[in-house]
Amino acid sequence: MKNYGQWQAEVLNCIRFKPDRPAIEKELTDHYMDHVADLERIGYERKLAEERALMAMGDAAEVGRGLDRAHSPALGWLWQASRVLMIIMLVALLWFGIVEGFWTDIQTDIRFAEHETYRDYGYVGASEEKRHLYTLVDEVFLHWEEERCGYDLSVPYAALWMSPMSDGTPIYYLTVVLISEDLRFWDEAPYLTPMTISTDWGKTWYPPDVGEELPQPPSHFKFYTVEKTPFHSTRILTACLNQVHTQWVELNYDGSDPWSVRIQWEEGIYD
Amino acid sequence: MKQLRFPRLNRRQRIARNLAVTAAALFLIAWMLDFPAWSKENLVRRAERQYLLTGSTLAYSAEDDYWGHELYIRNGERFLVARYSPTFLGLSPGWTHYIDQPLYCTTHWYNVTDILALSAMDALAAEMTVGLRVKNSDGFWLEETYQTQGQRLGEGVFRFVMEPHYEENDDSAAAQTERKLFAEELVANEWTITVRYYSETGELMGEEPVTDLDHDHWAW
């Protein structure tokens, strides 16, 4: 008659996915030893208990086939591969995120709105401590929306702010909210820096990063990102209009399909 | 306190979990690398979209130790210069520079002996004349005029590399100053640069002075 060692070897030989054999071996041995211990506890002699327990384990070939079906090599290797791949990716994630410091790239791509209304942002071109010095002269709610290069662009709000100089001379400032949305999470929001501004005052000027000299006014032509996700970007364009009493301001973008949006202030706001 | 126990998963469920964690990690890595593109063409499209442009063409792709990895993209009379870094997931996009001027010249730091020019002019050949005044640490002034044929890298993209005038074994102050200039140990104090464009038949198409050199090429 076979002993347990032979029975176990026969069972394990049937299992094609070898990495699982040690775990199966342990499980079978634990089961067999528990059964032997139970039989001994009710009075069986050791040798007899081992024989009975081995008989109860069943036919080695049949048990082996059953276990082989449950431990399919294809599934087993796929599981091993998925485990290795997962570990490599987690190590790479930690490497890029923490060691290389790229985690900040994700942080800068997500920014939540700090205020409920655009007006609450005040004149964002000024530092937070000085924003209370800027008073609202006029605000315009627009419904301008255009689609360009897969981006849904919109301008929902513009405001004119005033802050006096130390001698009391009023200086005017502009904020325009620009929103771009697209489903291509892999694309950055459009830069919009080649944008120009024209006014009824008759001058056109350029943001500094396209290398043009800045005639006065305005100055401080800048974009501030106030809300951002991979699908959405809300920026506030700021510009200083100096002492000029503009009645309208027009943003012009000279891309492949040029667009412009005109912001008209209310009559009599400078009175 | 009740101990938190995870449900025991069978092998299929473990495979699904591992693949889901792998995909999530891959997505986060791709995000950190600004979602690398799989081809230069793809980078061109992404760069032009960011400036709301269409129909751009890749004029030249630099992949050397000197200029790094950059794509010179032409859109009508405008150029876009898109930096990128090769990564294991593809080409990670960097800053894209918008150039809307008839002639744009850039140097590697302040080295005016090697100039890259982007021109809206559709010339097949170009020639550059560079007049320089350089002062060395002993107060010696080197005044030289270099003339060089541009290497046409692509449509509107030329590279002008000057050749030194003095022999390597020349010990004169002028030769030593020139060697330092070419080794980027000295920078030109004054310069005047002119570019001349030639057609296929060798006819002079036009001449353009360089009014501004972009020394901050690497600071983009």
Side-chain angles (χ1 to χ4, degrees), chain A residues 90-239:
Chain A
L90 288 175
V91 169
L93 180 64
L94 288 175
W95 174 263
F96 279 106
I98 296 168
V99 182
E100 296 282 332
F102 284 121
W103 178 246
T104 51
D105 281 33
I106 292 184
Q107 281 182 310
T108 53
D109 275 352
I110 297 176
R111 193 171 304 170
F112 298 105
E114 288 176 16
H115 300 286
E116 271 185 34
T117 67
Y118 297 127
R119 184 197 296 158
D120 294 339
Y121 282 97
Y123 180 68
V124 292
S127 62
E128 280 201 42
E129 306 85 69
K130 290 187 174 171
R131 270 182 218 170
H132 69 277
L133 300 172
Y134 292 75
T135 52
L136 186 69
V137 179
D138 193 16
E139 61 184 347
V140 179
F141 294 91
L142 299 104
H143 301 285
W144 184 90
E145 285 176 16
E146 290 276 341
E147 191 271 333
R148 291 288 185 285
C149 297
Y151 291 104
D152 291 320
L153 306 168
S154 58
V155 177
Y157 179 84
L160 186 67
W161 304 86
M162 189 277 287
S163 178
M165 287 172 73
S166 51
D167 64 359
T169 311
I171 303 291
Y172 296 94
Y173 298 87
L174 170 76
T175 57
V176 183
V177 175
L178 295 144
I179 295 176
S180 65
E181 288 171 316
D182 69 309
L183 292 175
R184 297 183 304 255
F185 56 84
W186 57 90
D187 268 2
E188 277 285 317
Y191 289 141
L192 301 180
T193 46
M195 183 184 282
T196 58
I197 297 182
S198 52
T199 74
D200 56 331
W201 187 69
K203 290 221 174 190
T204 297
W205 59 84
Y206 304 88
D209 48 2
V210 294
E212 294 280 345
E213 282 293 313
L214 269 178
Q216 295 291 323
S219 55
H220 303 98
F221 187 112
K222 217 167 169 183
F223 292 98
Y224 293 85
T225 301
V226 293
E227 198 180 353
K228 198 175 182 208
T229 70
F231 304 103
H232 175 106
S233 158
T234 302
R235 275 168 291 179
I236 299 183
L237 165 73
T238 65

Side-chain angles (χ1 to χ4, degrees), chain B residues 178-194:
Chain B
E178 187 192 60
R179 273 197 287 279
K180 284 187 177 176
L181 175 75
F182 276 76
E184 295 187 45
E185 291 169 24
L186 284 176
V187 295
N189 300 73
E190 293 165 27
W191 49 261
T192 51
I193 301 174
T194 311

Side-chain angles (χ1 to χ4, degrees), chain B residues 30-62:
Chain B
W31 192 347
M32 286 190 277
L33 297 174
D34 295 321
F35 297 107
W38 290 344
S39 67
K40 287 177 186 169
E41 179 60 26
N42 199 288
L43 276 182
V44 171
R45 297 293 146 241
R46 282 167 74 166
E48 67 170 5
R49 272 202 300 266
Q50 293 198 312
Y51 284 101
L52 305 179
L53 300 171
T54 53
S56 308
T57 52
L58 178 61
Y60 176 61
S61 165

